[in-house]
């Protein structure tokens, strides 16, 4: 998979890809992530990429030309499955979307900023608008990093134990069960006896029960999807 991220803060996005699972996925060649500095596509001497909003009001708007030039150039080099814009007024990201994005070959992620981008970019280039939750961040970069992490870890070969992504919270509309490691007794705080029993089918049953109980208590919205067997 190839992910091209268009941003005015490429350095802000370097670190998330230099550690742990994402670093390994890139090193293995399973995913290629390119950070593209939007200012390189500015037609102005001072590398300006934003301007005052028509009609007035506070806040700058990202201009069409640099974004259009950048996207047109990328599109001339390969075909893209999605051109995603990270914005608080997009669709809220969920596991199902991550699953689908992880099957794609080439995507562009455009990081939003200021008051937003010229609406014509959204109308003519963007194929998907994604938010990571109902709160406002100062820019789309951190949202893009969250989106990339959610996608990349699902690509086959990225996680060591391929089944572990399938047992994630949300994959089956259930939250994950509690987990424990040594010591079995920490100053009287004991690990549930069943986990020490070695009886695998009872352990699986216990974990499932705990998942259901947790989901019912903490996320009744997800629990109702689980009960109805729908997404
Ligand atoms: Cl994608 N961008 C910004 N700026 N804020 C957000 C967001 C995105 N998702 C939630 N809040």
């Amino acid at each position: 998979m190839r992910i091209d991220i268009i941003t005015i803060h490429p350095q802000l996005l370097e670190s998330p890809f230099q550690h742990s699972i994402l670093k390994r996925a890139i090193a293995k060649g399973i995913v290629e992530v390119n950070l593209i500095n939007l200012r390189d596509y500015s037609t102005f001497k001072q590398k300006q990429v934003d301007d005052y909003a028509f009609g007035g009001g506070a806040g700058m708007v990202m201009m069409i030309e640099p974004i259009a030039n950048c996207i047109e150039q990328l599109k001339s080099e390969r075909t893209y499955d999605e051109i995603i814009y990270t914005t608080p007024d997009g669709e809220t990201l969920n596991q199902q979307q991550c699953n689908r994005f992880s099957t794609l070959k080439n995507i562009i992620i455009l990081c939003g900023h200021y008051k937003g981008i010229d609406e014509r970019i959204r109308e003519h280039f963007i194929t998907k608008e994604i938010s990571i939750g109902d709160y406002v961040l100062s820019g789309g970069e951190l949202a893009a990093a969250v989106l990339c992490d959610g996608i990349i870890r699902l690509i086959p070969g990225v996680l060591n134990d391929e089944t572990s992504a399938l047992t994630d919270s949300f994959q089956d509309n259930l939250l994950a069960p509690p987990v424990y490691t040594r010591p079995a007794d920490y100053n009287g705080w004991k690990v549930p006896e069943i986990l020490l029993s070695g009886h695998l089918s009872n352990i699986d049953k216990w974990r499932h029960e705990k998942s259901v109980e947790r989901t019912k208590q903490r996320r009744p919205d997800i629990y109702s999807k689980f009960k109805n067997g729908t997404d």
Side-chain angles (χ1 to χ4, degrees), residues 39-211:
R39 290 191 196 280
D40 293 344
Y41 292 82
S42 173
T43 46
F44 292 84
K45 261 215 198 81
Q46 293 82 12
K47 302 285 176 202
Q48 181 185 345
V49 290
D50 61 328
D51 209 340
Y52 296 101
F54 275 129
M60 304 293 273
V61 176
M62 286 169 76
M63 308 164 75
I64 292 193
E65 287 100 330
I67 296 172
N69 292 343
C70 182
I71 293 178
E72 291 288 14
Q73 156 126 34
L74 290 169
K75 284 174 75 170
S76 75
E77 291 163 3
R78 66 195 65 74
T79 305
Y80 285 92
D81 302 301
E82 290 284 6
I83 303 179
I84 302 168
Y85 173 50
T86 54
T87 176
D89 59 3
E91 275 176 59
T92 310
L93 184 64
N94 61 31
Q95 192 62 46
Q96 281 70 40
Q97 284 164 319
C98 288
N99 290 345
R100 191 181 74 80
F101 291 145
S102 75
T103 66
L104 304 180
K105 192 166 181 314
N106 300 315
I107 65 172
I108 293 173
I109 302 176
L110 171 64
C111 302
H113 246 274
Y114 310 109
K115 272 284 172 211
I117 60 175
D118 191 300
E119 187 67 19
R120 290 166 289 182
I121 291 286
R122 299 173 71 154
E123 288 168 5
H124 298 286
F125 289 110
I126 301 300
T127 60
K128 202 99 199 156
E129 302 186 325
I130 292 288
S131 161
I132 61 163
D134 292 342
Y135 43 85
V136 177
L137 303 172
S138 51
E141 279 75 14
L142 295 180
V146 167
L147 176 59
C148 286
D149 189 305
I151 295 172
I152 293 170
R153 61 188 295 285
L154 296 173
I155 305 172
V158 172
L159 295 182
N160 283 336
D161 179 358
E162 285 218 19
T163 61
S164 68
L166 298 175
T167 58
D168 285 342
S169 285
F170 302 112
Q171 280 298 10
D172 46 10
N173 288 321
L174 283 176
L175 302 182
V179 293
Y180 301 84
T181 186
R182 290 186 292 178
D185 184 337
Y186 174 78
N187 297 340
W189 298 348
K190 293 201 174 67
V191 167
E193 201 63 46
I194 190 158
L195 297 178
L196 311 176
S197 70
H199 196 305
L200 292 186
S201 65
N202 283 354
I203 292 173
D204 277 349
K205 186 163 166 278
W206 179 88
R207 285 186 169 147
H208 183 73
E209 284 164 9
K210 287 288 167 191
S211 281

